């Protein structure tokens, strides 16, 4: 029960890493609000509250955080997890594809942090966890907009950590390597095999292995941790 009494909002919770976070946090005693633009294929565990939240919508963010506060009186943890990926290289990227990626993977995090901070400042406490990627601090070829968004999330997190440190709000980014989820399952097999082959542990990670890192950052065990990057990648970035 490492999150007993905590009120948590998770985005993109209907699948993959977000679902694992919602499930684990609920098991650890948190009141979990699991949000997404779709419902999960497998129902959320009993006690998890389902919310519809498109992270690109200011109105959705305002309504979701208001619903959490109305129900539970506070918001202790925000996990900005919702994300999409696309592979266009710089010279192939049109404005529509660029804007779509930036609006979900970067603007979604901005809107979420902004809304959460407004409540967390009143409480003088809170933990924000932003899911970036190994491609937020290193690069492969292609996927230009994804790198842009995930790199921005890394530094937006540090800025939030510095801006609100005196308000008792912590903000940290999480940088998964290859994780076996519907997002990666939808990708070309050769691409996945190449990333796994380049991973020292020679396997993909599981969503729960990322969720356990988020659990530490959500809990009071990480009370002296802010502005940091938690890399969960089977050793990829250590090379
Ligand atoms: P996933 O596709 O399984 O889950 C992503 C969820 O986000 C989906 O349920 C989807 O409906 C939701 N979503 C998409 N657009 C949304 C929007 N506008 N508003 C709200 N929800 C929206 O993917 P995943 O692998 O679990 O990825 C979760 C996060 O982890 C993403 O930010 C992704 O970039 C990041 N990540 C994943 C990996 C990996 O290998 N799987 C690696 C590094 C980082």
């Amino acid at each position: 029960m490492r999150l007993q009494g905590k009120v948590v909002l998770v985005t993109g919770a209907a699948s993959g890493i977000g679902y694992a976070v919602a499930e684990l946090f609920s098991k650890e005693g948190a009141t979990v609000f699991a949000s997404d633009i779709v419902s999960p294929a497998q129902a959320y565990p009993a006690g998890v509250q389902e919310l519809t939240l498109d992270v690109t919508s200011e109105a959705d963010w305002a309504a979701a955080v208001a619903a959490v506060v109305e129900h539970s009186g506070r918001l202790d943890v925000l996990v900005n997890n919702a994300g999409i990926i696309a592979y266009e290289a710089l010279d192939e990227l049109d404005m529509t594809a660029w804007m779509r990626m930036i609006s979900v993977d970067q603007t979604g995090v901005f809107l979420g942090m902004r809304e959460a901070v407004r409540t967390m400042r009143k409480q003088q406490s809170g933990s924000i966890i932003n899911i970036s990627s190994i491609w937020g601090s290193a690069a492969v070829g292609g996927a230009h907009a994804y790198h842009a968004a995930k790199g921005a999330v890394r530094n937006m997190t540090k800025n939030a950590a510095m801006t609100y440190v005196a308000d008792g709000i912590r903000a940290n980014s999480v940088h998964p390597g290859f994780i076996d989820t519907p997002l990666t399952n939808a990708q070309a097999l050769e691409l996945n095999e190449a990333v796994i082959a380049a991973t020292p542990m020679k396997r993909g990670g599981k969503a729960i292995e990322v969720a356990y890192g988020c659990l530490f950052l959500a809990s009071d065990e990480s009370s002296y941790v802010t502005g940091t990057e938690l890399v969960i990648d089977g050793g990829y970035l250590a090379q």
Side-chain angles (χ1 to χ4, degrees):
M1 289 293 173
R2 291 161 68 187
L3 298 180
Q4 191 68 51
K6 302 269 189 211
V7 178
V8 179
L9 174 58
V10 186
T11 69
S15 105
I17 294 168
Y19 189 95
V21 166
E23 196 175 32
L24 177 65
F25 282 24
S26 175
K27 236 188 251 173
E28 291 291 344
T31 301
V32 175
F33 292 82
S35 71
D36 207 304
I37 47 175
V38 295
S39 283
Q42 183 193 353
Y44 291 118
V48 170
Q49 320 274 326
E50 185 170 351
L51 286 179
T52 300
L53 164 57
D54 179 341
V55 296
T56 67
S57 161
E58 283 189 89
D60 276 14
W61 270 112
V65 173
V68 170
V69 172
E70 194 186 338
H71 181 280
S72 299
R74 53 190 299 110
L75 174 62
D76 297 301
V77 180
L78 171 65
V79 185
N80 276 314
N81 163 78
I84 55 174
I85 194 162
Y87 288 93
E88 295 97 338
L90 180 55
D91 62 309
E92 298 166 340
L93 196 54
D94 63 33
M95 277 302 282
T96 305
W98 168 262
M99 290 307 293
R100 180 172 141 75
M101 178 64 63
I102 297 302
S103 65
V104 178
D105 285 19
Q106 181 177 350
T107 307
V109 173
F110 152 63
L111 292 175
M113 288 204 291
R114 189 180 68 174
E115 204 59 46
V117 153
R118 287 172 177 167
T119 292
M120 289 173 173
R121 283 189 83 189
K122 289 185 203 143
Q123 302 165 182
Q124 290 287 290
S125 68
S127 172
I128 295 171
I129 300 163
N130 294 327
I131 309 297
S132 176
S133 164
I134 49 173
W135 309 139
S137 53
V140 285
H144 185 74
Y146 186 77
H147 282 70
K150 294 298 186 181
V153 166
R154 172 176 175 265
N155 224 32
M156 287 158 64
T157 307
K158 293 185 194 304
N159 174 264
M162 293 303 98
T163 306
Y164 302 109
V165 66
D167 292 302
I169 301 170
R170 300 183 295 106
N172 295 288
S173 54
V174 173
H175 299 258
F178 181 93
I179 309 298
D180 184 13
T181 69
L183 179 143
T184 46
N185 291 342
Q187 296 177 163
L189 191 59
E190 315 83 75
L191 182 71
N192 292 344
E193 284 173 352
V195 183
I196 290 169
T199 299
M201 286 191 185
K202 300 296 176 206
R203 67 170 178 88
K206 301 186 189 86
I208 186 70
E209 294 178 300
V210 180
Y212 275 121
C214 296
L215 173 59
F216 169 67
L217 295 173
S219 77
D220 294 336
E221 295 158 15
S222 58
S223 50
Y224 199 51
V225 180
T226 198
T228 199
E229 299 160 36
L230 178 54
V231 177
I232 303 175
D233 70 346
Y236 188 101
L237 287 184
Q239 297 172 99

